[in-house]
Amino acid sequence: MPNRRMTRRDLLFGTLAAPLLAAGPKPNILLIFADDMGWRDAGYTGSDFYETPHIDALAKQGMVFTQAYACGANCAPSRACLISGQYTPRHGIYAVGSTDRGPEKLMRMIPVPNTGNLDPKQITIAEALKAAGYATGKFGKWHLGEKDGCEAAKQGFDVDIDPRRGDPNRARNEPDDPKSIFTITRAACDFIEQNRSRPFFAYVAHHAIHVAQEARPATLASFKQKPPGKQHRNPLYAACVYDLDEGVGILLRKLASLGLEKNTLVVFTSDNGGTPQSSQEPLRGAKGCYYEGGIREPMIVRWPGVTRAGAQCDIPVANVDFYPTFVAAAGGAVPAGKILDGESLLPLFKGERSLSRSSLFWHFPGYLDSPVPRGRDPVFRTRPVSVIRKGDWKLHLYHEEWQLDGGREKLASNKAVELYNIRTDIGERNDLLSANPSKRDELLDELLAWIVKVKAPLPAKANPNYSPETKRTRI
C-alpha cells in the first residue's frame, strides 16, 4: 500500500486541469524573497543612505507595486501564507515559536496557541507548479518545519539548499559570504542553468537582512565613510542591504547570460516590515505589528512582454496572491479542493486597474514582545488583532478591548477599533473612528463576517494572571 504522501501526490497530479494559458512557452518563475527588508529600505523606495543599484534597475525595468503587503508581520506566518496561498487562520502559523511572547502578567487574554510547522497535507505552491511541469528549487530560508514531512524537500521542492539551516540568525565570521548571500545565490544560479531547457520555479529566500546583520568588509568600510542620511545612518545595516542587492544582480545577470531574461517572471519582495533598526517613516511601526511599517513591502515584478518597463501599480496586493498568480502564469490550475485566499495578479501585470476582490485581511490572535516606533503599546509589538484593508481604508480590531471592554456598544471609549484612510494618512496618525462611523461600521461588519467565514480562532478567556501593576519592561 502506498504511503500517505504518495497518495496525496497522486491526488495532486490527478486533479490539475488543463492549462489556463493556451499559447507560448511556460515562463520561468524567479521569486527573490528578502528577510526583514522594510518598505523604505531600497533606493527606489526613498532611502537616503542605503544603496540598491540592482533592485533599483529592476524597478525601472518592471512594474513597481506601491501597496504590496505581507500577510504576516513576521517571518514564519508570512512565509506560510506565501507557500500555502492561505491566510493565517487556515494554516495556524501566527508567529515564530509561540504566540505568548512577552510578560504573561501584562497579557489580558490567553492567546491562541501557535502552530510551528506547515501541515504536510497542504498542497503547496511548489507542488502545484511541479504538477504543471516545473522544476522547483528552494534556496535559503524555509522556517516552516524541518521534520515529519514539513521539510521543503517533502513539500514540493526538487532541490532544497540552505547553508544556514538550524541556526540561521547566529552571527558568523564569513567575510566573503555574509548571511550566506552568495552561497544561496550560486546554488540558485546552478539550478537555473541546469534547468534552462525546461520551465523552473526558483524560490530564493535570503536570510539577509535579518539580525545578526553581516557584510563584506569592503562594503562595510565604504558605508562607514559615507555621510549619514537624515532617516537612515546605520553602516552595517546599509552594507548588508548592499550585499543582498549584489546577490540580486548576480541572479539577473545569470538569466541574461543564458538568454532566459525574456521568458522569466521575476518577483522581488520581502517577508515583513523592517526592524526598528531602520526607520520606515512615514509608515508607522516595524516588523511584528500590523501598522503599515510592519506589513507593507517593496515589490517589483518584471516579465518582459507582459509588464511594462517603468509601470507602477497602486492596487493593494499581498503575498497570498503569488500562488494563484504563478499557477495561472504557468498555465496550470488550482488543485481540486484547494482553498486559495489570494487572487491572480496577471490582470494587473497587463495594465488593468482592478481586481475582483475588494478587501485584504490579517489575523493575529496572540502577543509579540518589544514595542515598535509609534506603536500602540509600550510593551508589545502587537496584541491580539484582526485587520481589514478595503480601498483607501484600513481598520484594526483589537480583541482584548472588544471582548473585555464592551465591544461595539463602547467603541467611542474602549479603543477596540482604529480606522485610517491610508491614501491621505499613510502614517496612520489620524484615527477616524468617530469622524466616519458609517465607514467604520462597514469595515467592522465585513471583518467580523470574514472571521466567522474562515473560522479564525480568537482568544476566548481572560488571563487569570493578568496584573496591570507589573513593571513594564522592554523585553
Side-chain angles (χ1 to χ4, degrees):
M1 179 180 292
N3 63 35
R4 179 184 53 76
R5 189 70 187 183
M6 290 175 62
T7 301
R8 187 169 79 86
R9 189 171 294 278
D10 291 340
L11 177 63
L12 170 62
F13 277 81
T15 56
L16 284 164
L20 299 179
L21 300 181
K26 295 176 183 290
N28 307 308
I29 301 170
L30 170 59
L31 172 58
I32 307 171
F33 207 52
D35 192 349
D36 287 3
M37 184 174 183
W39 175 77
R40 198 67 161 171
D41 289 349
Y44 87 92
T45 57
S47 175
D48 58 4
F49 187 59
Y50 313 147
E51 297 175 17
T52 53
H54 300 293
I55 295 170
D56 297 350
L58 185 66
K60 292 179 180 178
Q61 297 161 5
M63 173 178 282
V64 169
F65 284 77
T66 64
Q67 300 193 63
Y69 290 98
C71 290
N74 62 342
C75 302
S78 176
R79 292 161 197 272
C81 292
L82 186 161
I83 294 296
S84 71
Q86 296 180 340
Y87 286 131
T88 54
R90 298 198 197 274
H91 53 68
I93 300 175
Y94 300 110
V96 177
S98 69
T99 49
D100 60 353
R101 292 169 54 179
E104 184 207 0
K105 290 187 176 181
L106 294 179
M107 301 176 186
R108 296 186 65 192
M109 304 192 77
I110 298 175
V112 172
N114 189 51
T115 299
N117 302 327
L118 186 66
D119 192 332
K121 294 179 182 178
Q122 282 276 359
I123 300 176
T124 69
I125 188 172
E127 289 174 305
L129 289 172
K130 273 181 67 70
Y134 278 64
T136 58
K138 189 276 291 179
F139 308 92
K141 189 171 184 176
W142 178 239
H143 220 33
L144 301 176
E146 294 292 351
K147 59 182 181 179
D148 300 327
C150 300
E151 309 95 310
K154 295 183 179 179
Q155 294 273 42
F157 287 98
D158 300 321
V159 177
D160 173 19
I161 296 174
D162 183 3
R164 295 203 165 211
R165 197 186 313 271
D167 191 10
N169 301 327
R170 175 177 59 85
R172 303 185 185 191
N173 183 21
E174 297 175 346
D176 295 328
D177 194 20
K179 303 298 287 187
S180 300
I181 290 168
F182 301 107
T183 297
I184 290 168
T185 299
R186 285 192 295 268
C189 287
D190 290 345
F191 170 81
I192 289 170
E193 183 158 10
Q194 292 161 10
N195 292 282
R196 61 187 299 181
S197 299
R198 61 175 295 193
F200 60 78
F201 169 48
Y203 173 41
V204 184
H206 281 288
H207 293 283
I209 47 181
H210 195 292
V211 294
Q213 276 102 33
E214 302 167 9
R216 294 175 294 184
T219 309
L220 180 57
S222 175
F223 280 99
K224 283 183 175 179
Q225 296 299 315
K226 183 176 181 177
K230 292 183 178 180
Q231 180 168 8
H232 296 147
R233 57 186 63 229
N234 183 325
L236 178 57
Y237 196 98
C240 193
V241 171
Y242 186 89
D243 287 346
L244 169 67
D245 178 82
E246 177 58 26
V248 173
I250 292 169
L251 283 166
L252 298 180
R253 290 194 294 271
K254 187 66 173 181
L255 292 176
S257 71
L258 294 173
L260 299 175
E261 201 171 38
K262 291 184 178 180
N263 193 42
T264 301
L265 164 58
V266 177
V267 177
F268 173 84
T269 189
S270 181
D271 63 342
N272 46 246
T275 71
Q277 293 172 287
S278 180
S279 166
Q280 299 303 308
E281 291 289 350
L283 304 187
R284 181 178 181 180
K287 172 184 178 178
C289 80
Y290 287 82
Y291 294 113
E292 293 289 289
I295 54 175
R296 191 181 284 217
E297 310 305 325
M299 178 176 160
I300 306 164
V301 175
R302 187 189 74 182
W303 189 4
V306 180
T307 59
R308 179 174 56 83
Q312 178 174 298
C313 181
D314 301 325
I315 305 300
V317 301
N319 60 12
V320 77
D321 296 322
F322 292 158
Y323 194 131
T325 300
F326 292 169
V327 170
V334 176
K338 174 71 176 181
I339 297 173
L340 290 179
D341 289 313
E343 182 173 343
S344 172
L345 304 180
L346 293 189
L348 302 183
F349 294 175
K350 298 173 183 178
E352 295 185 23
R353 303 301 302 167
S354 64
L355 295 171
S356 62
R357 64 145 180 257
S358 61
S359 304
L360 293 171
F361 300 92
W362 293 262
H363 183 68
F364 181 78
Y367 298 83
L368 287 182
D369 53 349
S370 299
V372 296
R374 289 204 296 118
R376 170 184 169 102
D377 193 279
V379 178
F380 297 99
R381 282 180 274 177
T382 188
R383 291 171 180 264
V385 65
S386 299
V387 179
I388 178 174
R389 170 76 196 267
K390 183 176 184 179
D392 294 334
W393 295 88
K394 184 180 177 189
L395 181 141
H396 303 246
L397 172 62
Y398 288 91
H399 295 290
E400 289 179 332
E401 290 85 356
W402 180 255
Q403 294 191 46
L404 302 177
D405 297 335
R408 190 186 290 266
E409 293 183 1
K410 300 291 185 180
L411 278 185
S413 60
N414 65 11
K415 298 183 180 180
V417 170
E418 297 176 7
L419 177 69
Y420 302 99
N421 185 311
I422 300 300
R423 180 175 60 83
T424 60
D425 179 25
I426 193 174
E428 294 169 284
R429 293 177 179 272
N430 185 21
D431 185 354
L432 299 175
L433 172 76
S434 299
N436 199 330
S438 61
K439 184 60 66 174
R440 174 200 70 199
D441 290 344
E442 174 192 341
L443 267 67
L444 179 57
D445 289 344
E446 185 173 340
L447 179 58
L448 292 171
W450 174 82
I451 288 172
V452 172
K453 176 183 176 182
V454 301
K455 301 178 181 178
L458 299 173
K461 296 181 180 179
N463 177 12
N465 299 318
Y466 174 63
S467 176
E469 292 77 24
T470 301
K471 183 178 179 181
R472 296 189 170 199
T473 56
R474 187 180 178 118
I475 304 301

